[in-house]
């Protein structure tokens, strides 16, 4: 009998596990990796499956099991693993990078792999970041240039060894190695990881090459220097902590957050911080801090040698550009020391970033350890989407599945469009996708539209424009899997509307074929266009002018005269994100925007502790939710938290009421919330309570990123319906 198993069966020790089960039962047959599945020919399928399903490798996931009445070829004695075949690519699952397991951590502290950073086994280690092509065999990975030594060969061939058929098995005699160099590329003597730890302990800013990229790192005592050196005045840094006990010294994780911290994909988790001088320096003005645990052998060895509980660890790149992978290029950053290795990084992957909302996971950045992944959809055909602009991802669809790329970055950054193209083409090659439709954002100035046109021309595909917030809602529908229609709040910073204004506070009624705009926030002029996004004084000036208040003191008389002339000439925005920015500025929470989302993020602690007070009621006229007049009602003697909470609550109430009316008319029991603003947990909780007052459930994201990283998934889902 033949058994065909599909799922996460590549690079997880699946074939060795099949072999061990079959031989322990005395069965005859073979197991083969076919690119998208594992094919097992065995003389007793019932006996085999009943045992094997109880002994699955820890990283394996089975999506389907198919049995075929194919007799075992004559002459087979015993059970063997046969050479992999290229096979088809339908429905394949690419293995993700998985944190070094506890047994391998023991190995790097004793035995023949003591101190060896590249120690892994079939239960752990890099996969996607080393993978060139399927099937997952050593020749298709970055390890093809490191032939196994006799002792590693013996482990690879031993069915009782956990490195049996482990494709990246290696040791100090035959595998990759680290080296330590200084600012000018000079070699620094000593054991590289220990010497690097010593330099960090003495105050150095270093760069360490890891899986999928490199980190800039320093001790917490050097936070102020790091900010000056890196030009990052306010944006929070993530910290890597030695272990969970160390994490609790800096934050108060919930059980759900602890589970994420300890999970095999080891994301950065945003956790409520313990207030201290150190945590405030690391995460200024916020009530949470990004924390993650070591996931590579090098990082464990680094903490062993360091004598510190935590390090700042941030992606090694010029801000806005992709992580640097090239050893010579990284020297241009001017760090004090560089811990580098000679194992090629095939696929760049930043650290994933998550935030918990109760038991649910919000993906802020879905990358290392969480990508590759796929979502099954009830639509077939080949489609590619190139995403939005900020927090960019692409997505590929084939065989009834959507495969988003890893996090790409800011679409305007140098090298980012090229990174997007390379990542999309890589996914296409693995899936075997030749798109019939290529989807892009409606905004005419997005740089990735050029790639969309080029790819469509190559493949003879149709190009479609997808409105930004429609894509957000479609991504939420896809996230939940069983929704074909949804009325939702799409709340973010900006997205090009079909009236050529900057949308971002929308109530939309959507399916995968179209949408209707039911309501939106009052338009506010963006004085000077993009300048109003960084100079948030302009938002207050516009709102004050709308309210007839000519006493704004943020600008000189001549500046005010120029801005006044722009009131009727500037693009207008209905953005909920801009409303939060303006409110943050008006309340003195954030007066200078130094990074994307900063004013709104710093407003969140007020929203978390505020209460509803009278005086900030609003209304909706012809589908427009009034907002500007609320600013004229703010008094200086009021509690800032209550003001922030009341304004946001009342605006949300109007939007939810519009959504609820549509949903109830359609006989639906839920409404949705999506977009970057929906990462704000206090806003989610407000919206949940308001929706419940209307007898409706609020649905939000759990698998697809809430923000613009999810737009490509929505674009693909919409494009699939065109086929």
């Amino acid at each position: 009998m033949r058994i065909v198993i599909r799922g996460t069966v590549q690079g997880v020790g699946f074939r060795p596990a099949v072999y061990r089960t079959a031989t322990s039962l005395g069965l005859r047959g073979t197991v083969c990796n076919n690119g998208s599945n594992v094919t097992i020919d065995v003389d007793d399928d019932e006996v085999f499956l009943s045992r094997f399903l109880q002994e699955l490798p820890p990283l394996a996931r089975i999506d389907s099991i198919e049995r075929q009445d194919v007799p075992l070829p004559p002459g087979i004695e015993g059970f063997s693993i046969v050479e992999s075949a290229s096979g088809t690519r339908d429905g394949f699952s690419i293995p993700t990078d998985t944190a070094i397991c506890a047994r391998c951590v023991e190995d790097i502290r004793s035995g023949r792999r003591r101190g060896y950073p590249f120690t892994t086994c079939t239960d752990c280690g890099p996969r996607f970041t080393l993978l060139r092509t399927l099937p997952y065999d050593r020749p298709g990975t970055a390890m093809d240039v490191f032939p196994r030594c006799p002792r590693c060969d013996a482990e690879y061939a031993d069915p009782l060894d956990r490195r049996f058929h482990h494709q990246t098995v290696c040791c100090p005699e035959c595998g990759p190695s680290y080296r330590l160099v200084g600012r000018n590329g000079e070699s620094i003597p000593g054991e590289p990881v220990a010497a690097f730890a010593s330099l960090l302990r003495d105050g150095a800013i270093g760069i360490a090459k890891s899986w999928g990229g490199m980190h800039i790192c320093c001790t917490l005592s050097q936070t102020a220097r790091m900010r000056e050196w890196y030009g990052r005045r306010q944006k929070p840094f993530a910290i890597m902590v030695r272990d969970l006990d160390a994490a609790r010294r800096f934050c108060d994780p919930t059980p759900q957050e602890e589970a994420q911290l300890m999970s095999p994909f080891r994301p950065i988790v945003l956790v409520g911080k313990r207030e201290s001088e150190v945590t405030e320096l690391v995460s200024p003005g916020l009530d949470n801090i990004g924390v993650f645990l070591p996931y590579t052998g090098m990082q464990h060895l680094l903490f062993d040698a360091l004598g510190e509980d935590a390090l700042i660890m941030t992606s090694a790149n010029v801000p806005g550009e992709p992580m640097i992978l090239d050893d010579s290029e990284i020297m241009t950053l001017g760090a004090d020391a560089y811990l580098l290795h000679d194992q090629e990084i095939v696929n760049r992957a930043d650290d994933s970033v998550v935030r918990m909302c109760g038991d649910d996971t919000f993906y802020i950045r879905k990358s290392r350890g969480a990508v590759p992944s796929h979502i099954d959809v009830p639509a077939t055909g080949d489609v590619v989407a190139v995403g939005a602009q900020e927090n960019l991802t692409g997505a590929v669809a084939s065989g009834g599945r959507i495969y988003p790329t890893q996090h790409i970055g800011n679409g305007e950054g140098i090298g980012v469009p090229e990174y997007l193209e390379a990542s999309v083409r890589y996914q296409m090659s693995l899936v075997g996708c030749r798109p019939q439709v290529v989807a892009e954002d409606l905004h005419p100035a997005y740089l990735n539209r050029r790639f969309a046109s080029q790819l469509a021309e190559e493949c003879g595909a149709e190009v479609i424009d997808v409105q930004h917030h429609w894509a957000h809602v479609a991504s939420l529908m896809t996230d939940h899997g069983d929704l074909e229609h949804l009325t939702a709040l799409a709340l973010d910073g900006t997205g090009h509307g079909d009236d050529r204004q900057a949308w971002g506070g929308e109530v939309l009624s959507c399916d995968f074929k179209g949408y209707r705009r039911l309501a939106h926030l009052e338009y506010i002029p963006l004085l000077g266009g993009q300048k109003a996004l960084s100079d948030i004084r302009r938002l207050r000036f516009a709102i004050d002018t709308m309210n007839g208040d000519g006493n704004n003191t943020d600008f000189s008389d001549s500046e005010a005269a120029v801005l006044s002339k722009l009131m009727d000439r500037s693009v207008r925005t209905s953005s909920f994100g801009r409303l939060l920015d303006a409110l943050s500025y008006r309340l003195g929470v954030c007066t200078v925007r130094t990074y994307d989302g900063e004013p709104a993020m710093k407003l969140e602690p007020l929203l978390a502790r505020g209460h509803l007070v009278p005086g900030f009621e609003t209304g909706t006229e012809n589908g427009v939710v009034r907002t500007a007049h609320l600013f004229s009602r703010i008094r200086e003697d009021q509690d800032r938290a209550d003001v922030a909470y009341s304004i946001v609550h009342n605006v949300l109430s109007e939007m939810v009421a519009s959504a609820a009316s549509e949903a109830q008319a359609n006989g639906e029991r839920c409404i949705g919330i999506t977009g970057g603003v929906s990462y704000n947990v206090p806003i989610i909780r407000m919206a949940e309570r308001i929706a419940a007052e209307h007898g409706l459930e609020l649905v939000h994201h759990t698998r697809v990123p809430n923000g613009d990283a999810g737009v490509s998934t929505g674009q693909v889902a919409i494009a699939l319906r065109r086929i």
Side-chain angles (χ1 to χ4, degrees):
M1 181 66 75
R2 173 165 293 173
I3 305 168
V4 179
I5 300 180
R6 291 180 173 85
T8 304
V9 295
Q10 305 266 346
V12 295
F14 203 89
R15 287 172 295 168
V18 168
Y19 175 89
R20 283 191 291 269
T21 299
T23 53
S24 70
L25 294 170
L27 300 175
R28 296 183 301 116
T30 62
V31 58
C32 175
N33 183 340
N34 280 323
S36 63
N37 59 65
V38 166
T39 299
I40 304 161
D41 288 321
V42 66
D43 54 350
D44 192 332
D45 59 308
E46 292 288 348
V47 170
F48 170 78
L49 281 175
S50 64
R51 171 76 67 83
F52 179 68
L53 294 179
Q54 301 174 29
E55 299 175 348
L56 282 178
L59 303 182
R61 191 192 74 225
I62 292 178
D63 292 337
S64 68
I65 299 175
E66 178 186 353
R67 303 193 204 195
Q68 301 172 358
D69 190 12
V70 177
L72 202 65
I76 290 183
E77 297 295 334
F79 197 91
S80 63
I81 297 175
V82 300
E83 185 176 351
S84 298
S86 57
T88 66
R89 301 297 175 88
D90 295 338
F92 80 98
S93 291
I94 312 170
T96 63
D97 289 21
T98 303
I100 181 173
C101 67
R103 290 192 292 177
C104 284
V105 171
E106 291 178 9
D107 288 346
I108 65 174
R109 290 173 176 160
S110 63
R112 79 181 190 92
R113 288 186 172 86
R114 181 176 181 179
Y116 187 58
F118 297 90
T119 299
T120 58
C121 69
T122 53
D123 295 342
C124 68
R127 301 293 197 272
F128 171 67
T129 54
L130 300 182
L131 183 65
R132 290 196 182 92
T133 185
L134 290 173
Y136 181 79
D137 283 330
R138 199 179 187 100
T141 74
M143 289 297 292
D144 61 340
V145 297
F146 299 100
R148 294 186 297 269
C149 68
R151 287 199 286 181
C152 286
D153 242 350
E155 292 173 333
Y156 183 85
D158 182 359
L160 300 179
D161 196 291
R162 77 177 194 278
R163 295 186 175 94
F164 177 52
H165 270 248
H166 176 41
Q167 298 303 323
T168 58
V169 61
C170 60
C171 73
E173 296 178 19
C174 62
S177 60
Y178 271 98
R179 69 186 190 281
L180 183 62
V181 300
R183 180 185 294 271
N184 299 312
E186 71 279 11
S187 295
I188 296 176
E191 196 286 314
V193 177
F196 187 66
S198 179
L199 291 172
L200 293 179
R201 194 166 49 245
D202 290 341
I205 292 175
I207 290 178
K209 191 172 183 180
S210 185
W211 300 348
M214 305 192 198
H215 288 107
I216 303 173
C217 44
C218 68
T219 61
L220 299 189
S221 65
Q222 299 300 308
T223 303
R225 181 183 169 224
M226 171 76 100
R227 290 200 177 281
E228 180 69 24
W229 177 81
Y230 199 41
R232 191 159 157 174
R233 290 183 291 162
Q234 289 285 308
K235 190 174 182 179
F237 288 117
I239 61 171
M240 179 175 283
V241 293
R242 175 189 299 276
D243 52 30
L244 201 53
D245 286 339
R248 296 188 186 107
R249 298 187 183 101
F250 301 99
C251 59
D252 292 307
T254 64
Q256 296 90 339
E257 289 163 346
E258 289 188 0
Q260 286 286 350
L261 286 168
M262 296 295 292
S263 68
F265 81 103
R266 289 289 198 275
I268 297 171
V269 184
L270 300 189
V271 182
K273 72 184 184 186
R274 289 180 177 266
E275 292 295 337
S276 70
E277 184 177 347
V278 169
T279 57
E280 184 58 24
L281 281 171
V282 172
S283 178
L286 305 179
D287 56 4
N288 55 40
I289 188 170
V291 179
F292 61 138
L293 297 181
Y295 55 86
T296 76
M298 177 274 289
Q299 292 161 355
H300 281 279
L301 293 170
L302 182 60
F303 275 103
D304 286 351
L306 188 65
E308 300 266 352
D309 280 337
L311 286 171
I312 285 177
M313 286 270 195
T314 190
S315 297
N317 61 289
V318 176
E321 298 180 15
M323 268 195 304
I324 298 172
L325 301 183
D326 183 79
D327 289 0
S328 58
E329 186 181 352
I330 197 70
M331 304 298 293
T332 62
L333 291 185
D336 299 318
Y338 301 83
L339 183 63
L340 305 174
H341 62 66
D342 56 358
Q343 183 184 57
E344 180 189 358
I345 297 172
V346 178
N347 293 303
R348 184 188 279 113
D350 289 83
D351 295 310
S352 292
V353 182
V354 304
R355 181 176 194 180
M356 300 306 295
C357 183
D359 292 332
D360 295 322
T361 303
F362 289 167
Y363 283 95
I364 297 172
R365 189 166 71 199
K366 194 169 187 179
S367 200
R368 177 196 50 78
V371 169
S373 62
H374 67 266
I375 296 176
D376 292 316
V377 289
T380 58
D382 284 8
V383 168
V384 166
V386 299
Q389 181 91 324
E390 304 290 334
N391 298 309
L392 178 60
T393 66
V396 171
S398 186
R401 286 181 169 179
I402 298 175
Y403 302 87
T405 69
Q406 68 271 45
H407 167 77
I408 303 296
N410 178 354
E412 295 178 335
I414 296 173
V416 174
E418 292 78 10
Y419 178 22
L420 171 68
E421 179 174 352
S423 297
V424 167
R425 289 188 184 277
Y426 177 77
Q427 293 275 55
M428 288 171 58
S429 70
L430 292 176
V431 175
C433 169
R434 186 173 179 84
Q436 300 154 275
V437 181
V438 178
E440 62 184 7
D441 194 276
L442 184 64
H443 198 299
Y446 283 178
L447 298 179
N448 49 17
R449 288 168 65 93
R450 187 180 309 154
F451 170 48
S453 297
Q454 176 188 344
L455 184 60
E457 184 175 350
E458 289 176 15
C459 300
E462 176 189 6
V463 177
I464 64 168
D465 289 345
V466 179
Q467 200 282 323
H468 186 90
H469 299 95
W470 180 27
H472 269 305
V473 180
S475 78
L476 179 57
M477 293 162 65
T478 303
D479 198 334
H480 283 266
D482 57 350
L483 296 174
E484 288 293 322
H485 182 276
L486 182 65
T487 303
L489 280 61
L491 312 178
D492 64 2
T494 189
H496 194 72
D498 55 27
D499 61 357
R500 299 188 178 183
Q501 303 302 323
W503 292 8
E506 314 304 314
V507 181
L508 302 179
S509 175
C510 301
D511 59 23
F512 291 108
K513 294 182 179 180
Y515 67 94
R516 287 187 298 115
R517 192 186 195 195
L518 304 176
H520 63 86
L521 298 190
E522 182 177 10
Y523 279 128
I524 296 170
L526 290 174
L527 303 181
Q530 288 291 114
K531 288 185 178 179
L533 306 186
S534 55
D535 183 2
I536 54 178
R537 299 177 302 162
R538 295 171 182 242
L539 295 173
R540 180 179 179 183
F541 184 95
I543 291 170
D544 286 349
T545 303
M546 291 171 67
N547 288 327
D549 183 357
N551 297 318
N552 190 297
T553 59
D554 293 330
F555 298 95
S556 67
D557 290 344
S558 59
E559 290 172 328
V562 171
L563 292 175
S564 295
K565 292 179 181 179
L566 294 175
M567 285 291 293
D568 295 329
R569 304 176 189 174
S570 296
V571 66
R572 298 172 300 152
T573 185
S574 59
S575 166
F576 205 107
R578 298 291 83 81
L579 174 69
L580 296 176
D581 288 353
L583 186 56
S584 182
Y585 182 84
R586 175 63 181 82
L587 295 176
V589 174
C590 180
T591 57
V592 178
R593 178 183 181 270
T594 66
Y595 62 88
D596 183 40
E598 178 182 4
M601 289 167 64
K602 289 185 173 178
L603 188 67
E604 186 173 331
L606 295 188
L607 297 176
R609 68 172 188 264
H611 300 88
L612 188 62
V613 296
F616 296 99
E617 295 75 19
T618 188
T620 302
E621 299 176 4
N622 299 318
V624 178
V625 180
R626 297 172 58 238
T627 59
H629 73 288
L630 297 171
F631 286 76
S632 64
R633 299 182 180 179
I634 299 173
R635 301 194 315 270
E636 300 307 321
D637 62 341
Q638 292 173 303
D639 182 277
R640 296 189 307 167
D642 291 345
V643 170
Y645 184 94
S646 300
I647 288 177
V648 171
H649 177 278
N650 290 334
V651 169
L652 277 175
S653 292
E654 293 294 317
M655 301 186 81
V656 170
S658 295
S661 177
E662 174 76 7
Q664 289 163 344
N666 294 331
E668 295 168 347
R669 297 181 178 180
C670 66
I671 60 173
I673 187 167
T674 182
V677 170
S678 69
Y679 287 124
N680 187 308
V681 173
I683 286 178
I684 289 288
R685 296 307 187 207
M686 281 186 225
E688 284 176 336
R689 288 192 291 270
I690 297 167
E693 292 170 2
H694 291 271
L696 296 170
E697 177 190 359
L698 184 79
V699 297
H700 52 66
H701 288 276
T702 57
R703 296 183 294 170
V704 178
N706 308 28
D708 281 6
V711 164
S712 61
T713 295
Q715 290 172 341
V716 161
I718 289 166
L720 280 169
R721 269 55 175 197
R722 296 289 290 266
I723 299 174

